[in-house]
């Protein structure tokens, strides 16, 4: 039973990570600060997030100045950020910890170019500021980020993607 | 101090510290089950008397069949690490001895990753906390008291073709044994001793107030500061003083333990950037930037910087300084140490001493903000923050 619950928890958190990736996709389309950060990333860099070790990651790919959600869950990303436990993943997905706090507390591991880690953490700070309600953000971030577009626009873009209007790119098309 | 909500801490597995510590290497090899080590070093170290003595002791102790690579250049290029890994495999070695400064030790760490994981490219093992399994036995003999690489889970190597730095952070690369023998640092010139020593001091101070600081790294950092500050000037005035050399080597090792877990901060973020843009020695730029970054960080570090005064100046000065003045006095103490080191060794105090001017600031700022060390500085690094530090260090 416990094994089943763990499996269900993994599937659920990976689903949330899929939505987070959709959020990264949406924020990078509109937010100039994120776009500026992305200018330092090599074209076609794939960044993936996995809820647990050896999980199938949810990925985004950097293309033409923005991140795009990748449909496939079987690809090997250039940068993989994976939580060391399901509890650590939940803490981030429920807004108890920021990605930066999880990184600082060694609650995740990171495969790939660490020289991009500072920029990734700043991007995730901004993505979180769009996705989470303000009362959570005040607790998560030491500095209040100035949002460049309304949260509604980001939510709208994420929801329309989830409804199938923007299905993300497939790895073969990249 | 407040206990962090969550932390991890890993220290080195084994330290051999003292006069003739090098003579214990054959024993350590036997205990680790090594029969044929590869020794990696650079062209300068391999000519030093202590190195020749070490080779002799290996030969007479049943390790005459060792392999040797003595051409590691500065900045540990990945191509060299990959070349050594091939040599290791074809010579059927089963352990590594690295003798040198940070470049040699970091290169040896990458070699160990390659030969232990079967990877052929260093690029494929980049990352943090991501390597499963165990690595080969690895003995580190530092020949400077600065980088602390003999204690850390960090390796930075360079890719000369792509012109990038590759960083690897994993406890698996911490040396199995670190040998701190004063003879290995005795021929270090005064200026290099001061510069690398200031680097070690910066590791300890930045680790002390880093966002990843924890109760264990704090103990290591404070002991490191006491050992470094208490011995660095004496080592420069009396380079053959074995006791002070050993104390400085221990200080550097402990500072390495501290920052291996707590990481560093703004001094290193800006220092790495200035190093890449202006090609200045790492320890020199640490010396220039440390007081300015400490001042700028005070908004978040007043309490711990006040405590630092005790370890820098002792109980008498600490207790006679009003509580609200202790933090500033601690920074003043660092400035005074630097001043004295400048007189006796030529350690630089300003960016102008390093021939860095305002025209290079923009590039330095851009690189500093993207440096991994910026993540753990107690105050978020912004363009204005870095600019202010550079301006005040001119
Ligand atoms: Fe350093």
């Amino acid at each position: 039973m416990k094994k089943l619950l763990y499996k269900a928890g993994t599937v659920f958190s990976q689903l949330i990570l899929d939505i987070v990736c959709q959020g990264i996709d949406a924020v990078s389309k509109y937010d100039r600060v994120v776009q500026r950060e992305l200018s330092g990333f090599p074209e076609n860099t794939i960044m993936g997030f996995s809820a647990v070790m050896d999980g199938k990651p949810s990925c985004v790919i950097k293309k033409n100045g923005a991140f795009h959600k990748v449909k496939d869950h079987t690809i090997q990303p250039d940068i993989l950020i994976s939580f060391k436990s399901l509890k650590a993943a939940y803490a981030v997905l429920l807004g108890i910890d920021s990605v930066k706090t999880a990184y600082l507390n060694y609650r995740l591991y990171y495969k790939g170019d660490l020289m991009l880690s500072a920029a990734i953490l700043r991007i995730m700070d901004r993505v979180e500021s769009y996705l989470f309600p303000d009362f959570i953000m005040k607790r998560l971030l030491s500095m209040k980020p100035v949002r460049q577009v309304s949260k509604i626009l980001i939510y709208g873009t994420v929801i329309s993607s989830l409804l199938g209007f923007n299905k993300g790119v497939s790895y073969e098309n990249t | 101090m407040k206990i962090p909500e969550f932390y991890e801490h890993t220290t080195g597995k084994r330290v051999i510290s003292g006069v003739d510590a090098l003579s214990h290497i054959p024993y350590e090899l036997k205990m680790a089950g090594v029969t044929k080590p590869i020794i990696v070093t650079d062209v300068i170290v391999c000519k030093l008397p202590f190195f020749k003595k070490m080779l002799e002791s290996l030969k007479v102790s049943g390790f005459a069949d060792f392999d040797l690579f003595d051409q590691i250049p500065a900045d540990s290029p990945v191509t060299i690490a990959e070349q050594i890994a091939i040599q290791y495999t074809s010579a059927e070695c089963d352990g590594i001895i690295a003798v040198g400064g940070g470049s040699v030790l970091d290169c040896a760490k990458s070699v160990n990753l390659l030969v232990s994981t079967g990877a052929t490219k260093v690029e494929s093992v980049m990352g943090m906390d991501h390597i499963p399994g165990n690595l080969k036995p690895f003995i580190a003999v530092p020949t400077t008291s600065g980088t602390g690489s003999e204690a850390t889970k960090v390796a930075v190597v360079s890719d000369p073709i792509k012109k990038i730095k590759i960083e690897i952070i994993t406890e698996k690369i911490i040396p199995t044994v670190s040998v701190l023998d004063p003879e290995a640092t005795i021929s270090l010139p005064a200026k290099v001793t001061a510069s690398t020593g200031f680097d070690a001091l910066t590791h300890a101070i930045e680790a002390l107030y880093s966002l990843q600081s924890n109760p264990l790294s704090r103990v290591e950092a404070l002991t490191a500061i006491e050992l470094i500050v208490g011995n660095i000037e004496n080592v420069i005035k009396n380079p053959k003083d074995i006791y002070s050399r050993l104390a400085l080597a221990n200080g550097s090792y402990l500072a390495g333990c501290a920052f291996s877990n707590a990481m560093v901060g703004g001094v290193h973020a800006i220092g790495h950037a200035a190093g890449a843009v202006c090609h200045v020695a790492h320890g020199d730029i640490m010396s220039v930037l440390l007081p300015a970054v400490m001042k700028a960080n005070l908004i978040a570090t007043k309490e711990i910087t006040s405590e630092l005064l005790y370890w820098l100046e002792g109980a008498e000065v600490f207790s006679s300084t009003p509580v609200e003045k202790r933090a500033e006095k601690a920074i003043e103490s660092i400035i005074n140490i630097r001043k004295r080191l400048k007189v006796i060794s030529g350690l630089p105090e300003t960016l102008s001493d390093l021939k860095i001017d305002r025209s290079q600031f923009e590039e330095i700022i851009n690189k500093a903000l993207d440096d991994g060390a910026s993540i753990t500085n107690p105050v978020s690094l912004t363009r204005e923050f870095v600019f202010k530090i550079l301006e005040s260090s001119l």
Side-chain angles (χ1 to χ4, degrees):
Chain A
M1 183 64 182
K2 273 191 175 164
K3 210 172 172 183
L4 203 70
L5 273 174
Y6 180 81
K7 186 87 189 149
T10 308
V11 172
F12 178 69
S13 36
Q14 200 61 51
L15 274 173
I16 308 273
L17 280 173
D18 246 28
I19 300 174
V20 171
C21 283
Q22 212 75 67
I24 297 172
D25 178 316
V27 173
S28 75
K29 272 194 183 79
Y30 298 107
D31 189 290
R32 283 193 308 279
V33 177
V34 170
Q35 287 162 2
R36 210 166 35 235
E37 296 284 7
L38 273 177
S39 63
F41 285 59
E43 194 67 356
N44 295 324
T45 300
I46 300 174
M47 176 169 76
F49 296 88
S50 177
V52 289
M53 276 188 298
D54 308 320
K56 287 180 180 163
S58 306
C59 297
V60 287
I61 182 166
K62 189 241 170 167
K63 247 182 172 325
N64 305 320
F67 270 133
H68 304 275
K69 170 87 174 63
V70 181
K71 276 196 291 187
D72 321 53
H73 282 84
T74 51
I75 53 166
Q76 201 74 53
D78 302 301
I79 294 162
L80 172 67
I81 294 168
S82 176
F83 294 96
K84 290 183 182 172
S85 76
L86 197 53
K87 291 218 166 166
Y90 272 132
V92 168
L93 298 174
L94 297 175
I96 297 162
D97 282 342
S98 65
V99 175
K100 184 175 175 182
T101 305
Y103 180 93
L104 289 175
N105 290 352
Y106 290 111
R107 301 203 73 166
L108 47 82
Y109 70 89
Y110 181 113
K111 270 186 196 169
D113 188 357
L114 276 168
M115 297 295 165
L116 295 173
S117 59
I120 290 173
L121 293 179
R122 285 194 298 264
I123 289 172
M124 292 314 293
D125 268 1
R126 286 197 80 79
V127 171
E128 284 166 343
S129 79
Y130 283 101
L131 296 184
F132 283 122
D134 277 0
F135 74 92
I136 289 186
M137 283 326 295
K138 267 191 202 132
R139 194 168 40 80
L140 283 188
L141 299 182
S142 49
M143 273 195 310
K144 197 170 176 251
V146 183
R147 287 189 284 264
Q148 294 187 331
V149 290
S150 94
K151 280 176 141 182
I152 304 200
L153 177 65
I154 301 298
Y155 286 151
T157 312
V158 171
I159 290 166
S160 73
S161 302
L162 293 172
L163 292 175
F165 296 109
N166 168 18
K167 287 205 164 108
V169 294
S170 40
Y171 182 54
E172 298 80 62
N173 296 340
T174 61
Chain B
M1 86 171 288
K2 261 174 65 185
I3 303 281
E5 272 176 36
F6 198 95
Y7 75 90
E8 286 182 5
H9 191 96
T10 318
T11 42
K13 292 165 188 93
R14 200 167 151 75
V15 180
I16 321 261
S17 163
V19 175
D20 288 334
L22 285 161
S23 67
H24 285 236
I25 290 178
Y27 166 81
E28 294 300 328
L29 288 171
K30 265 180 203 147
M31 288 297 112
V34 176
T35 53
K36 184 176 181 180
I38 186 166
I39 302 162
V40 297
T41 188
D42 62 37
V43 280
I44 297 168
V45 171
C46 73
K47 292 191 186 100
L48 296 175
F50 88 86
F51 185 80
K52 289 179 182 159
K53 213 163 95 185
M54 186 192 86
L55 293 191
E56 280 312 312
S57 82
L58 284 173
K59 281 177 191 162
V60 297
S61 320
F63 294 98
D65 194 24
F66 62 78
D67 220 50
L68 178 67
F69 186 96
D70 58 8
Q71 302 289 319
I72 297 181
D75 287 340
S76 15
V78 286
T79 40
I80 297 292
E82 287 155 7
Q83 188 185 329
I84 299 172
I86 294 169
Q87 181 177 332
Y88 177 103
T89 311
S90 58
E92 295 180 350
C93 297
D94 53 5
I96 302 168
I97 304 174
V99 189
S103 292
V104 169
L105 300 192
D106 281 8
C107 183
K109 287 174 179 177
S110 335
V111 172
N112 200 3
L113 270 173
L114 293 175
V115 298
S116 305
T117 62
T120 51
K121 295 279 170 205
V122 176
E123 210 179 343
S124 65
V125 290
M126 293 189 293
M128 182 183 87
D129 289 357
H130 58 304
I131 302 289
N134 288 319
L135 270 54
K136 304 289 178 198
F138 170 29
I139 298 178
V141 183
T143 56
T144 61
S145 293
T147 67
S149 183
E150 67 280 9
T152 72
K153 59 176 178 181
V154 183
V156 181
V157 289
S158 64
D159 185 332
I161 299 157
K162 290 188 185 164
K163 293 197 172 127
I164 53 164
K165 293 265 180 203
I166 291 176
E167 195 176 11
I168 302 155
I169 304 176
T170 164
E171 46 110 0
K172 302 293 168 65
I173 57 176
I174 298 176
T176 326
V177 184
S178 297
V179 181
L180 310 180
D181 188 322
E183 223 185 318
T185 57
I186 210 141
S187 55
L188 212 59
K191 169 69 200 320
V192 184
T193 303
S195 180
T196 51
F198 220 92
D199 182 26
L201 180 62
T202 310
H203 294 154
I205 291 176
E206 291 215 281
L208 190 65
Y209 58 53
S210 144
L211 290 179
Q212 282 183 310
S213 163
N214 70 53
L216 301 176
S217 66
R218 189 180 145 129
V219 173
E220 290 159 346
L222 288 171
T223 313
I225 291 164
E226 192 184 13
L227 286 170
I228 297 164
V229 169
N231 291 282
I232 191 165
E233 287 169 62
N234 192 37
V235 165
I236 291 160
K237 286 180 197 153
N238 306 293
K240 306 276 176 220
D241 182 329
I242 297 288
Y243 173 80
S244 290
R245 283 273 178 207
L246 192 60
L248 199 58
N250 274 263
S252 168
Y253 177 85
L254 279 164
C257 291
F259 96 82
S260 178
N261 293 282
M263 298 295 147
V264 277
V267 185
H268 275 78
I270 307 170
H272 290 151
V277 176
C278 315
H279 309 288
V280 287
H282 178 69
D284 286 1
I285 190 73
M286 297 294 108
S287 149
V288 169
L289 296 171
L290 179 62
V293 176
M294 286 177 78
K295 255 183 225 166
N297 277 340
L298 269 185
I299 184 171
T301 60
K302 184 110 182 174
E303 202 183 316
I304 186 74
T305 310
S306 301
E307 276 182 50
L308 185 60
L309 182 63
Y310 178 88
W311 301 88
L312 291 168
E313 293 287 346
E316 220 167 284
V317 174
F318 180 79
S319 54
S320 64
T321 308
V323 178
E324 70 281 2
K325 297 244 167 71
R326 283 176 184 163
E328 283 79 5
K329 184 104 178 162
I331 299 175
E332 209 181 289
S333 169
I334 299 280
I335 294 172
N336 289 336
I337 294 168
R338 188 176 67 179
K339 227 175 236 150
R340 295 196 296 271
L341 287 175
K342 182 174 188 171
V343 173
I344 57 176
S345 73
L347 189 73
E349 286 180 302
T350 62
L351 289 175
S352 318
D353 286 346
L354 294 174
K355 309 216 169 0
I356 297 176
D357 59 44
R358 282 195 185 88
S359 68
Q360 293 157 306
F361 281 9
E362 186 62 19
E363 209 184 337
I364 295 174
I365 293 170
N366 287 338
K367 283 195 189 308
L369 295 180
D370 274 338
D371 192 275
S374 68
I375 300 168
T376 40
N377 196 62
V379 178
S380 282
L381 253 66
T382 58
R383 303 190 75 78
E384 299 70 44
F385 182 91
V386 179
F387 181 78
K388 207 174 95 185
I389 287 162
L390 290 172
E391 271 292 318
S392 63
S393 306
L394 263 173

